[in-house]
């Protein structure tokens, strides 16, 4: 009878251990699959983002250049068009960009609008030349774009 009980106890312990091992293996596989999907989602837009971010930087720099031309008295009549293009690409980028990029775009747009008010003769009290603030904003945006494109493994920030 002792042998039967020992056999039953051994079988029970073996079954529990087998069940626990299978459960742990399944959990590991599910976690690995989740991480793989998350990685694929981050990398999926990478090629699209490169072109989009390039166009966004070109449009924002175009807005800056139009303001700079106006400030030097060389109005080429492109301000409205370049501003519209910059807003268009800003909206496009905000649809797939991370929070740091969206914040940098909004900050730069605010700086450009403030500079535009000064250039068009609607003074705004500023501590420094308005286009200097815009150039700083352009650099911040470019840094945010490069950071997002260079490290697709970095987890998204909420």
């Amino acid at each position: 009878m002792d042998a039967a009980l020992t056999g039953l106890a051994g079988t029970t312990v073996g079954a529990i251990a087998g069940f626990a091992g299978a459960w742990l293996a399944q959990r590991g596989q599910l976690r690995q699959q989740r991480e793989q999907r998350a990685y694929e989602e981050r990398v999926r837009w990478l090629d699209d983002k490169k072109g989009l971010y390039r166009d966004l930087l070109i449009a924002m720099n175009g807005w800056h250049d139009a303001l700079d031309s106006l400030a030097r008295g060389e109005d080429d009549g492109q301000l409205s068009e370049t501003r519209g293009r910059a807003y268009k690409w800003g909206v496009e980028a905000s649809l797939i960009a991370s929070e740091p990029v969206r914040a940098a775009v909004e900050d730069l747009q605010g700086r450009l609008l403030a500079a535009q008010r000064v250039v068009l003769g609607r003074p705004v009290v500023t501590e420094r030349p308005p286009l200097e603030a815009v150039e700083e904003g352009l650099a911040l945006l470019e840094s945010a774009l490069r950071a997002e494109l260079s490290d697709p493994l970095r987890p998204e920030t909420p």
Side-chain angles (χ1 to χ4, degrees):
M1 184 88 159
D2 282 341
L5 286 176
T6 303
L8 181 61
T11 303
T12 304
V13 168
I16 291 171
F19 177 74
W23 179 75
L24 287 173
Q26 184 180 21
R27 251 185 83 185
Q29 285 177 340
L30 290 174
R31 184 179 48 84
Q32 185 178 17
Q33 288 171 353
R34 268 194 316 269
E35 288 173 1
Q36 180 66 27
R37 279 193 305 269
Y39 171 78
E40 288 171 359
E41 184 64 27
R42 284 192 303 270
V43 173
R44 182 177 91 179
W45 294 104
L46 195 58
D47 287 336
D48 294 336
K49 284 181 179 182
K50 287 178 184 176
L52 175 63
Y53 290 172
R54 178 200 60 231
D55 293 340
L56 173 66
L57 279 174
I58 289 170
M60 292 295 189
N61 278 297
W63 189 0
H64 168 270
D65 293 346
L67 288 173
D68 190 39
S69 294
L70 276 172
R72 287 182 282 129
E74 303 170 1
D75 185 10
D76 59 359
Q78 297 293 315
L79 178 61
S80 179
E81 182 182 326
T82 57
R83 183 182 58 231
R85 194 175 311 120
Y87 270 111
K88 172 192 168 209
W89 289 114
V91 169
E92 291 283 335
S94 71
L95 295 175
I96 62 173
S98 65
E99 178 57 33
V101 170
R102 287 193 302 269
V105 168
E106 289 174 14
D107 176 61
L108 178 56
Q109 287 173 339
R111 291 173 191 237
L112 282 162
L113 287 172
Q116 182 175 307
R117 288 183 56 85
V118 172
V119 168
L120 294 177
R122 299 180 200 124
V124 175
V125 177
T126 59
E127 302 168 0
R128 57 189 171 161
L131 289 177
E132 184 180 306
V134 170
E135 289 163 4
E136 181 182 293
L138 282 166
L140 291 172
L141 174 61
E142 188 171 347
S143 298
L145 296 175
R146 286 182 188 278
E148 183 171 331
L149 291 175
S150 67
D151 192 5
L153 297 175
R154 187 187 77 236
E156 292 288 322
T157 54

